Amino acid sequence: MTAPPKISIRGLRKSFGSKLVLDGIDLDVERGESLVIIGGSGSGKSVTLKCVLGLIRPDAGSIRIDGTEVVGMRGDARDEMLRKFGMLFQGAALFDSLKVWENVAFGLIEGRHMPRAKAREVALQKLAQVGLGVEVGELSPAELSGGMQKRVALARAIAAEPEIIFFDEPTTGLDPIMADVINDLIVQCVKRLGATALSITHDMASARKIADRIAMLYKGRLIWVGPVKDIDHSQNAHVDQFINGRAEGPIQMEVLRP
Amino acid sequence: MNFLALIGRVILDGLETAGRMGMFAGNGVRHAVLPPFYFRLIGRQMLAIGYFSLPVVGLTALFTGMVLALQIYIGSARFNAESAVATIVVIGITRELGPVLGGLMVAGRVSAAIAAEIGTMRVTEQIDALVTLSTNPFKYLVAPRLWAATITLPLLVLVADTIGVMGGYLIGTQKLGFNAGSYLKNTLDFLETADVVSGLVKAAVFGFIIALMGCYHGFHSKGGAQGVGRATTDAVVSASILILIANYIVTELFFAK
Ligand SMILES: Nc1ncnc2c1ncn2[C@@H]1O[C@H](COP(=O)(O)OP(=O)(O)OP(=O)(O)O)[C@@H](O)[C@H]1O
Ligand SMILES: [Mg+2]
């Protein structure tokens, strides 16, 4: 018997009021695979990740992690399931009442009951991996630039070496060189630690570097899923327009043209 | 517009909110009494709620005691004012004015602060981040605040009682010319344990309400700065109203024969 996919999503639907955001998503992510979701702003990429984590309750559909249904899961079972995850939030979501290193060490101290001194060492090492020195660890998140906050959030997401990591726009707001450092770090997490990664990005260079497969979300559905090498000849006009960043094409932005 | 339908709508909404608050409270209490306990967080909250509320509560109590003494003197000058002032001040302060005014003042300060902090954490996804780091927000955010406020308010009220009585003493001896020794004697002679204890029980209940309303409205805030602002106002208003209602209920339980 083959192992079930790490993440298996079937028929996922979600509306906010009368606004339909997800209209039946089907997606499998295999163990140790890195999948990148691309798609227009507001197309429901972040909502998809939050549904998997149970932060948003889907209207319909099934989500299985290692073969176990997680929709509607609660209590200890849910806590146990969430232990497998690390999440980088699009807006960083750092705890502003804690120092930077305490943010990174949070999951180790609270979730895994590691002694503070040891957790601090791990945290400083993770901060170094995202290019932040010891002195940054003592600052509070409000004292950091947006890109630095993003990197701290990334360090926090990977600190506990989770089995499954979600990156919501990991390179947005970073300079091109730092963006590539972060891409390498994500690849390393997947290749070396054997983590399963589900990422969201608008940055095609990043997507090409970190993805094994790419999925494109458009109007609440996944209109194309395939290996990263096929993205340039997908035969799909929507995908072509998106990855080449053209204003002209089947995807019409609802903007007032002068 | 159908008037009856409107009334029905309002009542149903009220019941729904009450139900949700009840469930939230139940959840909070469950996490507050089950281990693990975050003693460090409880300590930090006690400092924020208790220590920094001392000036506000102290001033409130001082002037309440003073004005009480003055009013009772004026009102009871025809009888035996000297013993009436001391007795009524101490009973009024310990039973009602200490806990209620103290509670209302702390509600304004602390419910608002809690709602603003937790509300900001909600809209900036910090609460979601807590969940993904295997930490239950009820355990980490709600339980320590419930504990801290429930423990701290009685202590604050004890201070308020003392200062309030001192305020009355000050006016009695300095302005109204009472004898200091007999004022204190009258104060202690007529004071019963139940007066103080009922006040402290009230204070504990009010502390619970204050923290609960701050947490509840903070947790359910949405929509950025404006939403957090609304949560703050709602927290103070609902905490104040619930304090007044709870005050009646506790009084009834203690003193109704
Ligand atoms: N909590 C919420 N309440 C109401 N509507 C929401 C909520 N969260 C998201 N939405 C709506 O769902 C849609 C998808 O949001 P989502 O955050 O998933 O977009 P996205 O694909 O991540 O976009 P971006 O690339 O800009 O981050 C948006 O139109 C948004 O208005
Ligand atoms: Mg998003």
Side-chain angles (χ1 to χ4, degrees):
Chain A
M1 188 190 116
T2 57
K6 198 74 183 168
I7 305 171
S8 175
I9 302 173
R10 287 289 172 278
L12 183 64
R13 298 169 63 87
K14 178 71 194 173
S15 321
F16 291 103
S18 61
K19 184 179 164 72
L20 181 60
V21 176
L22 299 178
D23 185 18
I25 301 280
D26 297 317
L27 184 67
D28 283 337
V29 188
E30 298 299 330
R31 184 179 306 266
E33 183 185 34
S34 171
L35 187 126
V36 167
I37 302 179
I38 58 174
S41 185
S43 58
K45 306 182 294 297
S46 299
V47 170
T48 307
L49 293 195
K50 287 181 189 167
C51 284
V52 178
L53 290 167
L55 300 175
I56 292 178
R57 180 176 289 272
D59 298 336
S62 140
I63 299 170
R64 286 168 183 272
I65 306 294
D66 288 324
T68 309
E69 180 65 50
V70 297
V71 173
M73 201 183 226
R74 43 196 327 191
D76 291 343
R78 176 161 184 242
D79 291 346
E80 200 49 49
M81 186 272 295
L82 282 169
R83 238 171 256 279
K84 298 179 181 177
F85 284 90
M87 164 92 181
L88 163 66
F89 284 85
Q90 187 170 359
L94 298 175
F95 305 126
D96 40 30
S97 60
L98 300 179
K99 289 178 189 165
V100 165
W101 80 262
E102 289 175 319
N103 264 282
V104 179
F106 194 92
L108 299 171
I109 296 173
E110 303 298 343
R112 282 159 215 237
H113 310 293
M114 188 186 275
R116 279 177 74 85
K118 182 142 178 277
R120 182 166 188 273
E121 253 169 58
V122 178
L124 291 180
Q125 182 201 338
K126 297 292 169 190
L127 282 172
Q129 286 183 12
V130 296
L132 298 170
V134 184
E135 68 289 351
V136 176
E138 294 299 323
L139 299 177
S140 87
E143 296 173 274
L144 306 182
S145 76
M148 289 164 90
Q149 290 182 359
K150 200 79 184 228
R151 286 185 277 156
V152 174
L154 187 94
R156 182 175 72 179
I158 62 174
E161 308 200 337
E163 294 170 37
I164 306 171
I165 320 179
F166 289 174
F167 300 104
D168 197 342
E169 306 198 6
T171 56
T172 309
L174 302 183
D175 65 79
I177 302 173
M178 188 48 76
D180 205 48
V181 171
I182 297 303
N183 289 337
D184 282 337
L185 187 63
I186 293 173
V187 171
Q188 201 190 5
C189 284
V190 177
K191 293 286 177 293
R192 201 171 49 107
L193 305 176
T196 305
L198 184 52
S199 317
I200 294 172
T201 190
H202 294 294
D203 171 358
M204 285 315 297
S206 171
R208 285 173 207 275
K209 186 147 185 179
I210 65 179
D212 297 320
R213 281 193 303 150
I214 292 183
M216 172 142 171
L217 190 57
Y218 178 68
K219 292 212 162 153
R221 291 174 173 276
L222 288 176
I223 53 164
W224 188 83
V225 184
V228 63
K229 63 178 166 50
D230 294 348
I231 189 87
D232 288 314
H233 27 89
S234 61
Q235 315 282 332
N236 184 310
H238 292 79
V239 175
D240 271 342
Q241 184 193 352
F242 189 87
I243 65 173
N244 294 309
R246 286 192 293 260
E248 306 304 324
I251 307 176
Q252 283 304 317
M253 293 284 162
E254 282 158 23
V255 291
L256 184 66
R257 285 174 191 279
Chain B
M1 180 71 210
N2 186 338
F3 190 62
L4 282 178
L6 185 70
I7 294 178
R9 184 77 258 146
V10 170
I11 293 176
L12 282 180
D13 283 352
L15 285 178
E16 193 188 325
T17 308
R20 270 202 254 129
M21 278 182 188
M23 270 170 58
F24 190 91
N27 224 340
V29 169
R30 195 161 58 81
H31 282 97
V33 296
L34 294 177
F37 302 106
Y38 288 94
F39 292 110
R40 250 161 49 101
L41 294 177
I42 295 176
R44 195 191 298 172
Q45 289 299 325
M46 284 179 70
L47 196 70
I49 296 170
Y51 185 70
F52 295 113
S53 294
L54 273 176
V56 158
V57 171
L59 279 175
T60 308
L62 181 69
F63 283 100
T64 307
M66 283 163 63
V67 84
L68 204 56
L70 211 53
Q71 289 281 25
I72 296 163
Y73 178 75
I74 296 166
S76 66
R78 284 151 287 178
F79 313 107
N80 188 357
E82 188 144 4
S83 80
V85 169
T87 312
I88 300 179
V89 165
V90 74
I91 292 181
I93 291 279
T94 53
R95 279 195 183 191
E96 285 296 331
L97 296 171
V100 173
L101 291 183
L104 290 176
M105 296 308 282
V106 177
R109 239 195 110 243
V110 172
S111 281
I114 293 178
E117 183 179 5
I118 294 188
T120 306
M121 292 186 74
R122 164 62 76 202
V123 300
T124 57
E125 299 186 322
Q126 291 179 51
I127 293 182
D128 289 343
L130 265 186
V131 173
T132 66
L133 293 164
S134 334
T135 305
N136 190 312
F138 272 86
K139 190 114 241 162
Y140 188 80
L141 296 174
V142 179
R145 284 166 174 79
L146 289 178
W147 271 122
T150 310
I151 297 171
T152 314
L153 256 265
L155 300 177
L156 274 173
V157 164
L158 216 47
V159 175
D161 287 353
T162 315
I163 296 181
V165 169
M166 267 171 48
Y169 172 84
L170 216 65
I171 292 295
T173 56
Q174 301 301 315
K175 189 175 160 71
L176 307 177
F178 297 160
N179 175 281
S182 60
Y183 188 96
L184 288 181
K185 186 173 178 307
N186 280 325
T187 298
L188 295 176
D189 273 358
F190 289 93
L191 185 63
E192 288 173 20
T193 318
D195 298 331
V196 179
V197 170
S198 70
L200 297 186
V201 170
K202 284 179 180 180
V205 173
F206 299 166
F208 180 82
I209 290 173
I210 288 168
L212 184 72
M213 287 301 105
C215 292
Y216 175 84
H217 290 286
F219 246 75
H220 293 90
S221 63
K222 43 176 168 273
Q226 206 175 23
V228 175
R230 176 148 3 95
T232 313
T233 317
D234 288 351
V236 175
V237 171
S238 58
S240 304
I241 290 173
L242 285 181
I243 282 177
L244 294 174
I245 295 174
N247 182 46
Y248 178 79
I249 295 174
V250 177
T251 308
E252 181 90 33
L253 290 179
F254 255 91
F255 298 109
K257 290 289 169 328

